[in-house]
Amino acid sequence: MLVVFGLNKDIWNQIGAAERAQYTWAARLYLLSCVLSAAAGVRFMHQLSDSYTIGVLGGLLVGYIVSVVTRIALITMVSLPLTSASLGHRLANESPPPSTPLGDHSSTPLGDWPVPERSRGQRSRRTVPERSRRPDFSIVFRLFIIAMMSLVVALPIAALIAYAEAENIIAQRRAEVIAEFKANHPDMSSEQNRVQLANLQADHFPIHVYLELVHRPVGLFSIWFTGACFLIPFFMLWHLRRGNQFQYAKLNRDMLVHQIETDYAMTLEQSRRIQQNRFGLNECILPHKAWLDAPFNTRSIEEQTQYTLETEAAFIERLKTL
């Protein structure tokens, strides 16, 4: 079950049994939705092509595409986003190490770059609740995508469950088309009638069948059942993501932040060694206060340093002083 949503095994062993059970049931329902997607794809492609070969091969491909889109929408619900609020909250709660002058990082441990002391106003602005209770646009968009996928799967599943009823609808539609065509073309020859009947036998009218079944109990049942299989995992993962009593999302985000901070610290350390060993600089040139937002780029434009353009006259005057 860990592979379904790409869960980390080390973090999985740290969370409680109740939380693991909810992830397991969400994965099982997702696998059930994959089976429904494959069955719906085979049924739809057979109705569309009147070929069992195309129906099986094309239907499995369509089902795979639907399941992958659904999995992407679900798998991104597992982790919390790397927002400025969460990073600021983490940095504000940590005790910053003593400040080290720029260029003198030889005694600083790898990944433990100095964090300047924040002002009280900056701390209060960044210390905000980590998990909002209201769904944002990304949550609503995922919900819309999954709901559309469930509707795409539900109608072919209804035609598969009520196979005899769907065949009766197809036969009635063929009779209607034949009657309308003969009324508009009364002088058709026997050969033309034969060709028309052969063409109609290969046409299963899938859209017409779905529109008819959607108003019947089997269609409504299929929509509700398929929607439950697709949407219940979404709401379960959303609950696991925003609930303060659940730990996987928070632990996973902290692990990702630590990995990014470690990679960034290694990059700065490599830059320091190159400047000292290759170019012989005693005082290394490092990004000024880069650890404030390193390297997430989550600070708003208002918080970032504003640069001013120097006029040509001021530039010429400054050159004269060099």
Side-chain angles (χ1 to χ4, degrees), residues 84 122 125-126 298-306:
S84 59
Q122 193 172 7
R125 183 175 67 252
R126 287 188 176 272
T298 57
R299 298 171 63 190
S300 63
I301 297 178
E302 291 77 10
E303 296 179 86
Q304 297 177 6
T305 304
Q306 302 296 325

Side-chain angles (χ1 to χ4, degrees), residues 3-281:
V3 182
V4 175
F5 297 130
L7 302 179
N8 188 290
K9 186 177 181 180
D10 297 332
I11 302 177
W12 178 264
N13 296 328
Q14 301 177 27
I15 62 178
E19 187 173 356
R20 289 200 299 266
Q22 293 196 43
Y23 278 112
T24 301
W25 278 107
R28 289 173 179 173
L29 289 174
Y30 167 73
L31 293 177
L32 178 58
S33 70
C34 293
V35 175
L36 295 176
S37 300
V42 171
R43 175 61 171 163
F44 174 73
M45 292 303 295
H46 175 261
Q47 287 180 298
L48 199 64
S49 63
D50 192 42
S51 171
Y52 286 102
T53 302
I54 297 177
V56 173
L57 297 179
L60 292 178
L61 178 61
V62 171
Y64 173 76
I65 294 173
V66 172
S67 62
V68 167
V69 172
T70 305
R71 183 172 183 264
I72 292 174
L74 291 176
I75 203 172
T76 53
M77 294 288 298
V78 175
S79 300
L80 292 171
L82 299 176
T83 60
S84 59
S86 61
L87 296 175
H89 181 78
R90 173 180 173 177
L91 292 176
N93 291 334
E94 293 177 353
S95 57
S99 178
T100 305
L102 185 64
D104 186 14
H105 296 284
S106 58
S107 61
T108 304
L110 185 63
D112 193 18
W113 293 90
V115 179
E117 184 69 29
R118 284 176 171 78
S119 63
R120 181 175 301 178
Q122 193 172 7
R123 278 174 179 258
S124 61
R125 183 175 67 252
R126 287 188 176 272
T127 306
V128 296
E130 292 189 18
R131 307 183 189 185
S132 176
R133 293 290 176 178
R134 294 185 302 174
D136 55 9
F137 174 77
S138 63
I139 300 295
V140 176
F141 183 73
R142 292 187 185 98
L143 177 62
F144 175 77
I145 293 297
I146 296 177
M148 290 297 100
M149 294 298 101
S150 68
L151 184 61
V152 168
V153 172
L155 298 178
I157 289 295
L160 188 62
I161 295 174
Y163 184 84
E165 192 172 353
E167 291 299 317
N168 291 333
I169 295 174
I170 294 173
Q172 294 175 5
R173 183 57 180 171
R174 285 173 181 162
E176 293 174 1
V177 172
I178 292 174
E180 291 176 1
F181 200 85
K182 286 184 177 181
N184 295 328
H185 303 84
D187 54 347
M188 288 180 56
S189 62
S190 58
E191 179 63 21
Q192 290 175 331
N193 285 328
R194 187 188 63 80
V195 172
Q196 183 194 17
L197 290 176
N199 293 334
L200 287 177
Q201 290 298 325
D203 198 342
H204 296 270
F205 307 101
I207 304 303
H208 177 75
V209 173
Y210 300 156
L211 293 177
E212 288 291 329
L213 290 178
V214 78
H215 300 290
R216 304 189 182 188
V218 63
L220 297 177
F221 168 78
S222 178
I223 291 174
W224 281 103
F225 177 74
T226 307
C229 294
F230 276 78
L231 294 177
I232 287 179
F234 169 81
F235 288 110
M236 292 180 68
L237 294 179
W238 186 27
H239 178 61
L240 290 167
R241 170 176 170 165
R242 66 175 184 171
N244 293 324
Q245 71 273 24
F246 303 119
Q247 295 299 317
Y248 183 90
K250 181 179 181 301
L251 293 174
N252 187 58
R253 183 192 59 194
D254 292 343
M255 183 193 68
L256 293 177
V257 171
H258 177 71
Q259 289 179 353
I260 295 174
E261 290 174 342
T262 301
D263 293 341
Y264 183 71
M266 292 178 63
T267 302
L268 292 182
E269 180 67 16
Q270 184 181 10
S271 173
R272 183 185 64 82
R273 289 198 304 266
I274 292 176
Q275 293 180 60
Q276 289 182 345
N277 300 333
R278 182 179 301 179
F279 300 102
L281 297 181

